[in-house]
């Protein structure tokens, strides 16, 4: 079925009818290319109850409502709620929730997965919350292409950082496809990418590993020995000894360590 909610004329008509104005601070760039929500929604099936963050005018919500068992959509902008009720009136399996996804408890009972076109300014805190406070799996989200590259980066590259290691310790990250600025209204300045995060079993050492990751990347240019000594408040000699025990050169930089090496370090620090 045609996704009319992506049609620029329908979007303009809705803007005029409701006197709605896009709010840049809320990351409001709405999809106008029907193939994008279609391709994202096709990753789900009737057995899944999906959480959507930021439904906007409902283009992705409508596509998900067709492929999934149910959709729970959390929208922060209360001006969008009457529009969403109108646009999604024929979707009996959609529940709309007004609220801030950064504050709400996202572990809604019964939900199994996430699919969203995320507001860019809060992508990292939202992904962190989803990974730490829910078991939703998979998490399929559209993010800025630069963020997607950071999340999927390899060690010893400029994109590799604390968020890369955090995500690698929680999930397998795949970059699925890019979405150009022409696919949105208003047109954003950047290209987006849709990524898929499939959770991996949580290792008990993750919290300790994350303390080490934070210390290692807080002073990225320093050697691991110096960065960990400063960040973990340990004498330099102690850190050097423990790194050597773990088979890691204290003069290496944190950005050269793989997520597995950070996990291993958690045994020794
Ligand atoms: N899903 C729609 C689409 O793809 O066309 C809109 C996506 S738009 C990039 C981001 C949406 O997230 C907007 O509707 C915005 O109001 C909403 N939003 C922004 N911050 C939010 C938050 N903290 N919690 C929930 N929704 C938020």
């Amino acid at each position: 079925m045609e996704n009319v909610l992506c049609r620029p004329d329908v979007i303009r008509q809705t803007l005029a009818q409701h006197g709605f104005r896009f709010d840049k601070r809320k990351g409001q760039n709405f999809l106008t290319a029907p193939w994008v929500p279609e391709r994202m929604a096709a990753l789900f099936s009737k057995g899944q109850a999906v959480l959507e963050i930021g439904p906007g005018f409902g283009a992705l919500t409508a596509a998900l409502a067709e492929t999934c068992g149910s959709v729970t959509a959390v929208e922060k902008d209360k001006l969008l709620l009457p529009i969403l009720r109108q646009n999604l009136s024929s979707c009996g399996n959609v529940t709309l929730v007004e609220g801030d996804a950064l504050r709400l408890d996202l572990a809604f009972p019964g939900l199994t997965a996430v699919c969203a076109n995320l507001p860019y300014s809060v992508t990292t805190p939202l992904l962190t919350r989803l990974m730490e406070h829910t078991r939703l799996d998979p998490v399929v989200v559209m993010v800025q292409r630069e963020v997607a590259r950071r999340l999927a980066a390899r060690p010893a590259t400029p994109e590799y950082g604390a968020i890369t290691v955090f995500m690698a310790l929680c999930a397998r990250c795949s970059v699925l496809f890019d979405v150009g600025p022409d696919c949105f209204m208003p047109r954003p300045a950047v290209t987006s990418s849709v990524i898929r995060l499939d959770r991996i079993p949580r290792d008990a050492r993750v919290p300790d590993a994350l303390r080490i990751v934070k210390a290692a990347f807080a002073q990225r240019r320093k050697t691991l020995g110096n960065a960990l000594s400063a960040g973990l408040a340990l004498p330099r000699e102690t850190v050097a000894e423990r790194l050597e025990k773990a088979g890691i050169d204290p003069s290496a930089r944190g950005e050269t360590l793989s997520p597995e090496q950070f996990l291993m370090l958690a045994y020794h620090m």
Side-chain angles (χ1 to χ4, degrees):
M1 218 197 321
E2 187 198 1
N3 190 338
V4 292
L5 299 177
C6 283
R7 269 180 29 199
D9 61 317
V10 172
I11 294 178
R12 277 191 213 98
Q13 199 185 326
T14 310
L15 290 169
Q17 187 192 343
H18 293 267
F20 185 82
R21 284 167 188 240
F22 295 115
D23 185 341
K24 217 174 166 181
R25 288 164 311 163
K26 294 197 181 81
Q28 291 179 343
N29 302 97
F30 294 175
L31 281 163
T32 54
W35 67 268
V36 181
E38 203 177 292
R39 208 160 153 188
M40 290 173 81
L43 297 165
F44 297 89
S45 62
K46 289 286 174 206
Q48 281 158 308
V50 173
L51 168 69
E52 185 191 0
I53 294 170
F57 277 2
L60 178 59
T61 327
L64 287 167
E66 277 199 25
T67 60
C68 302
S70 69
V71 188
T72 297
V74 175
E75 176 55 62
K76 181 181 178 183
D77 188 342
K78 61 171 178 283
L79 299 175
L80 285 170
L81 272 293
I83 301 177
L84 282 163
R85 271 182 224 112
Q86 178 181 309
N87 285 357
L88 301 169
S89 59
S90 62
C91 305
N93 57 351
V94 173
T95 304
L96 298 171
V97 178
E98 184 198 324
D100 183 343
L102 285 174
R103 289 166 189 273
L104 281 181
D105 179 2
L106 297 177
F108 291 97
L111 296 192
T112 58
V114 180
C115 187
N117 171 12
L118 291 181
Y120 290 150
S121 57
V122 287
T123 300
T124 307
L126 275 175
L127 285 179
T128 310
R129 286 200 88 212
L130 285 169
M131 285 297 140
E132 288 195 326
H133 301 298
T134 79
R135 290 167 183 263
L136 299 166
D137 186 30
V139 173
V140 174
V141 285
M142 194 188 305
V143 299
Q144 239 175 288
R145 185 168 59 182
E146 284 62 33
V147 175
R149 287 188 174 159
R150 275 214 292 280
L151 292 173
R154 308 293 310 152
T157 61
E159 291 85 14
Y160 189 73
I163 187 68
T164 321
V165 184
F166 166 76
M167 207 46 88
L169 295 178
C170 301
R172 224 170 340 101
C173 175
S174 332
V175 181
L176 301 184
F177 56 91
D178 286 348
V179 181
D182 288 343
C183 296
F184 302 89
M185 187 193 293
R187 205 177 178 277
V190 295
T191 295
S192 307
S193 299
V194 174
I195 61 167
R196 176 182 174 126
L197 300 163
D198 289 284
R199 283 179 196 267
I200 54 174
R202 192 156 173 100
D203 192 299
R205 293 167 296 173
V206 166
D208 286 335
L210 291 178
R211 270 192 317 117
I212 298 167
V213 170
K214 202 171 155 199
F217 285 98
Q219 293 172 308
R220 211 184 152 102
R221 297 274 136 238
K222 284 199 176 177
T223 65
L224 207 48
N226 287 340
L228 296 189
S229 164
L232 302 176
L234 288 170
R236 277 243 290 276
E237 303 67 45
T238 311
V239 171
E241 235 171 65
R242 293 181 186 177
L243 284 168
E244 273 159 16
K245 253 194 201 152
I248 293 167
D249 179 357
S251 67
R253 293 211 164 82
E255 64 198 24
T256 63
L257 260 57
S258 68
E260 295 72 27
Q261 282 177 303
F262 277 109
L263 210 48
M264 195 207 5
L265 253 187
Y267 264 137
H268 297 272
M269 278 293 157

